[in-house]
Amino acid sequence: MTCRRARPSRLRALPPWRPTASSAGTRRADEEFVVYCLAPIPPEWRPEVATGYEFRRTAKGETAANTWLREIGEHLRTLPLPLPLSATDDDVQAKADRLARQAFERQNPKRAANASNDVSLIGTYLALCAFCAANFIEPPAVKDGTVEEVQGAVARMVCRKWWRRQVGRLHQRTKEACAIELFGIVHAKKQKYVTNASVRRWERQKRRNAAYLEGLEAVNQHDYAATLAELAAKSTANPAIRRGELLARARGFEEIARGLEHAAFFITVTCPSAMHAKRAVYRKGKPVRVRDNPSFDGTTPREAQQHLCKAWAKTRAYLQRRGIRLYGFRIAEPHQDGAPHWHLLLFMPAAAVKPMREAVTRYFLTQHSPDEPGAVKNRVKFVPIKMDATHSATGYILKYIAKNIDGFKVQQDLFGDDAIEGAARVNAWASTWGIRQFQQIGGAPVGVWRELRRMEAAPEHTPLIDAARQAADAGDWAGYVKCQGGPAVARKDLAVSLAKTRPGERWCPIAQAPEPAPLTRYGETRPAGVYGVLDAAKGRAFESRRFKWEIRRASSPDQARPARAAAPWTRVNNCTPPPSGACAGVPSAAPDGFADTWPAPAAGLPPLSASPADPWPDWFPPPDLYPPEDFDHV
């Protein structure tokens, strides 16, 4: 079968609009022109654009309105997308499936040789990278250059699910960026933070995820069964638990700061004016008018978030070189036009206040458009916080945590709207742009804290492990941080760390020993698995994982489970591989603290220069995975 190279969509391939000789200068020609320009616009936005066109035609004249509409159409036809912006979710999935099939065919050695004059694994990788770039998709990166890593990258580029994620994410973010820059419908007076279409899409995805979790159940070695939805409700995936844990950690940091007599600051930093699409005029704290920002440079919220992350990285490096370690929390939330800003609750010694203010001002203000109007007033704000019997630092971020998770006990947001609806829009905004909302700064890692909460008291625990476990079990973040060495402890100096197996292995709670872990979907070795905590001073590891789970389709509550074999498992299969070591009845050679005593993993696979004789591993999808057919383009 001949597979054609992906070409631009038909909308972008159309020639510029020209009226027919018979209709030139008539009302019919005007209608044809408007229909032509509206064609690449998503259907839900066409009424907005048509209204804007009529308004400009009345206010500024027909020429100005036609120019505005024509420029929008031309811009949409030149977007870096493999399919038109007006495509539906079904169209996006269908296109991704076609591209995956075409990519699968391009891993044929002859086709790879035609593309790169190389029939090796490198040739296949380069050919698929070129195919991804031709369809505006960024190929998976290769860092170490081992055969296994390149094989994993190739396996991703021929995977239907990978293409669906990449094409869907690119299409959604491009669509959202156009809503902000071209159509101007994301702001406080219309659709705040994110478009209504993205909110509905996020809600549909949540419903699909909930139904998927309800359809699967986990069964452990004691025959205890529960649906994945029930187990998820007991984890930080539950908004109430997530909110409670964040508040407990913030309160713990405050207790430590009080005991050490540290200073506390609440800092708000935002992006330069050029990264904001809209300017809002506020009266009594509420926006009364919104207008376009003439200096907007088209920066997307994700790019603005990256700008803030880079500025904060420089700030931390500046303070680190001077021996200053801060601790606290960072919260990212959107402005009314979708641009992010940060709220930071930071604790530090009194001597670090001045260099901290200098560093934040330097990297968030003076290095980026410091002379723009309102920069000094709005870009960086410092609020010192009192911590006494009547004042609490945690109270400053209590509202921000609640309104960015589920709106708990927050009646209205800044714009006077229901806080629960506002929280849903904020979460949809963060999901659309891939922005991390909450991040701990400094202090002990929360991963060890969660492992300790899974443990029960045992006589073999060391005093340090027992003290840390009791603090974690009681929700005492301050006590846990003290057990780890204090709020300024470095990761390499932690008193308690995670105990892990070697890469390619996982922990078997039944045998209490490691066992081989299956390869990932893309044929790569799984990373080291966590099985407990490690007392760094004594070099002893203690198990926290007590159950071995198997995932299968949930049985009907109204019918007895059939005696025949269970229904096929999903790709989250945790089926035990052929036993080895202790699981096969052979005593394990690993001591109690085997995370430290085991030898380091062997070096990686041979570099790319030593291509294997057969560059096509047998774990690639079989040829009949994508049946031969003629692939059309959307």
Side-chain angles (χ1 to χ4, degrees):
M1 171 193 132
T2 302
C3 188
R4 301 186 299 274
R5 181 179 178 181
R7 59 178 182 271
S9 64
R10 298 176 195 167
L11 288 176
R12 284 187 281 136
L14 288 176
W17 179 84
R18 293 288 186 274
T20 60
S22 59
S23 64
T26 63
R27 183 62 179 176
R28 177 183 175 185
D30 294 342
E31 294 175 353
E32 292 176 352
F33 171 78
V34 173
V35 170
Y36 172 85
C37 293
L38 291 177
I41 299 175
E44 63 267 26
W45 297 342
R46 288 174 188 171
E48 293 276 352
V49 177
T51 302
Y53 172 75
E54 292 298 335
F55 172 79
R56 285 171 174 76
R57 187 171 182 174
T58 303
K60 300 181 179 180
E62 185 175 5
T63 301
N66 289 346
T67 301
W68 173 79
L69 187 61
R70 175 177 52 79
E71 290 176 350
I72 288 180
E74 291 176 350
H75 182 82
L76 295 183
R77 286 183 171 85
T78 57
L79 289 174
L81 285 174
L83 73 171
L85 193 71
S86 57
T88 63
D89 289 346
D90 293 338
D91 296 334
V92 171
Q93 290 193 5
K95 181 66 175 181
D97 291 347
R98 295 189 187 99
L99 294 176
R101 290 193 292 267
Q102 295 173 31
F104 179 79
E105 292 186 347
R106 276 168 170 73
Q107 70 176 344
N108 181 283
K110 294 182 179 180
R111 191 177 295 276
N114 294 335
S116 61
N117 297 321
D118 190 352
V119 296
S120 66
L121 185 59
I122 295 181
T124 304
Y125 174 75
L126 295 177
L128 291 177
C129 286
F131 178 73
C132 290
N135 288 279
F136 313 105
I137 300 297
E138 183 177 356
V142 171
K143 298 179 181 178
D144 299 331
T146 61
V147 171
E148 180 183 4
E149 186 180 18
V150 179
Q151 287 175 344
V154 171
R156 284 173 172 81
M157 289 186 284
V158 298
C159 176
R160 178 188 290 108
K161 288 193 173 184
W162 184 85
W163 277 97
R164 285 189 175 186
R165 285 194 299 269
Q166 301 301 318
V167 176
R169 184 186 299 122
L170 175 64
H171 188 268
Q172 178 66 16
R173 290 179 179 174
T174 304
K175 189 175 181 180
E176 197 69 23
C178 290
I180 295 173
E181 181 180 5
L182 290 182
F183 308 117
I185 61 177
V186 178
H187 58 78
K189 306 301 289 185
K190 284 190 177 181
Q191 303 175 29
K192 61 182 180 182
Y193 312 146
V194 72
T195 60
N196 294 337
S198 292
V199 175
R200 292 191 295 268
R201 184 173 180 269
W202 175 77
E203 291 174 343
R204 289 196 302 270
Q205 184 62 51
K206 287 200 66 176
R207 288 193 294 269
R208 287 195 296 267
N209 292 346
Y212 181 76
L213 295 180
E214 285 288 352
L216 297 175
E217 66 178 3
V219 184
N220 63 20
Q221 69 269 29
H222 303 301
D223 290 332
Y224 171 81
T227 65
L228 295 187
E230 294 171 346
L231 296 179
K234 299 178 181 180
S235 70
T236 53
N238 185 333
I241 296 178
R242 184 186 182 197
R243 183 183 65 250
E245 184 187 84
L246 286 171
L247 292 177
R249 290 155 62 188
R251 180 64 182 178
F253 276 147
E254 182 179 355
E255 292 178 9
I256 292 175
R258 287 173 183 262
L260 297 175
E261 296 183 352
H262 284 179
F265 269 82
F266 186 77
I267 307 171
T268 301
V269 295
T270 189
C271 299
S273 175
M275 298 183 182
H276 293 265
K278 299 290 182 180
R279 291 178 178 175
V281 179
Y282 290 85
R283 182 178 300 167
K284 296 182 180 180
K286 295 185 178 181
V288 295
R289 188 171 70 256
V290 176
R291 54 192 177 92
D292 294 336
N293 179 12
S295 61
F296 178 56
D297 59 4
T299 301
T300 65
R302 183 172 179 83
E303 294 169 344
Q305 174 74 1
Q306 292 170 352
H307 160 79
L308 295 175
C309 290
K310 290 179 181 178
W312 176 245
K314 294 178 181 178
T315 301
R316 291 196 64 181
Y318 175 89
L319 297 174
Q320 186 74 19
R321 290 192 295 269
R322 286 153 181 79
I324 299 174
R325 297 183 67 89
L326 311 176
Y327 58 101
F329 278 93
R330 184 269 289 164
I331 301 174
E333 63 177 13
H335 281 291
Q336 46 99 21
D337 59 354
H341 64 282
W342 286 7
H343 299 292
L344 300 104
L345 175 62
L346 300 179
F347 303 94
M348 69 210 76
V353 171
K354 182 177 180 181
M356 181 276 298
R357 295 182 65 120
E358 292 176 350
V360 172
T361 303
R362 174 182 179 182
Y363 293 110
F364 283 92
L365 177 61
T366 58
Q367 287 196 355
H368 304 279
S369 307
D371 299 327
E372 65 183 13
V376 177
K377 178 182 177 182
N378 300 315
R379 292 262 296 279
V380 179
K381 297 180 181 180
F382 297 92
V383 179
I385 301 175
K386 293 182 179 180
M387 293 184 293
D388 52 31
T390 58
H391 299 85
S392 171
T394 307
Y396 272 81
I397 65 170
L398 174 64
K399 177 184 68 174
Y400 295 100
I401 290 177
K403 77 175 187 177
N404 286 285
I405 293 181
D406 56 0
F408 180 72
K409 287 191 176 181
V410 181
Q411 301 299 326
Q412 293 181 338
D413 61 9
L414 176 65
F415 308 104
D417 299 327
D418 181 71
I420 297 178
E421 178 187 351
R425 300 191 72 90
V426 170
N427 282 277
W429 167 82
S431 175
T432 299
W433 293 109
I435 293 176
R436 183 176 181 179
Q437 294 176 269
F438 306 98
Q439 184 173 13
Q440 178 181 314
I441 298 172
V446 71
V448 180
W449 156 277
R450 291 170 180 164
E451 287 300 318
L452 289 168
R453 289 175 62 85
R454 293 187 175 99
M455 299 176 66
E456 296 179 350
E460 64 270 15
H461 288 169
T462 63
L464 174 63
I465 295 294
D466 190 61
R469 185 201 61 79
Q470 291 185 27
D473 190 59
D476 182 8
W477 180 262
Y480 161 72
V481 172
K482 291 176 183 177
C483 292
Q484 287 281 35
V489 63
R491 289 294 187 264
K492 62 183 179 63
D493 298 326
L494 289 172
V496 183
S497 60
L498 293 176
K500 299 182 179 181
T501 65
R502 295 181 295 188
E505 295 182 336
R506 63 183 180 184
W507 185 253
C508 177
I510 301 175
Q512 294 186 340
E515 64 181 7
L519 298 177
T520 66
R521 174 184 298 166
Y522 301 115
E524 298 170 324
T525 302
R526 290 188 181 274
V530 176
Y531 71 90
V533 295
L534 175 71
D535 187 331
K538 296 185 179 298
R540 294 187 60 191
F542 301 93
E543 182 185 9
S544 64
R545 307 296 175 105
R546 302 183 300 276
F547 303 108
K548 186 176 184 65
W549 298 95
E550 295 178 355
I551 310 300
R552 62 189 181 193
R553 296 190 185 278
S555 58
S556 173
D558 301 327
Q559 299 177 359
R561 188 169 298 165
R564 57 181 175 80
W569 292 355
T570 64
R571 286 187 175 87
V572 292
N573 187 348
N574 288 331
C575 182
T576 306
S580 65
C583 293
V586 180
S588 175
D592 292 338
F594 66 83
D596 281 349
T597 58
W598 276 4
L605 294 173
L608 284 175
S609 57
S611 299
D614 181 10
W616 310 114
D618 55 6
W619 50 262
F620 266 13
D624 59 350
L625 180 61
Y626 300 118
E629 59 185 10
D630 188 15
F631 306 127
D632 296 328
H633 294 265
V634 175

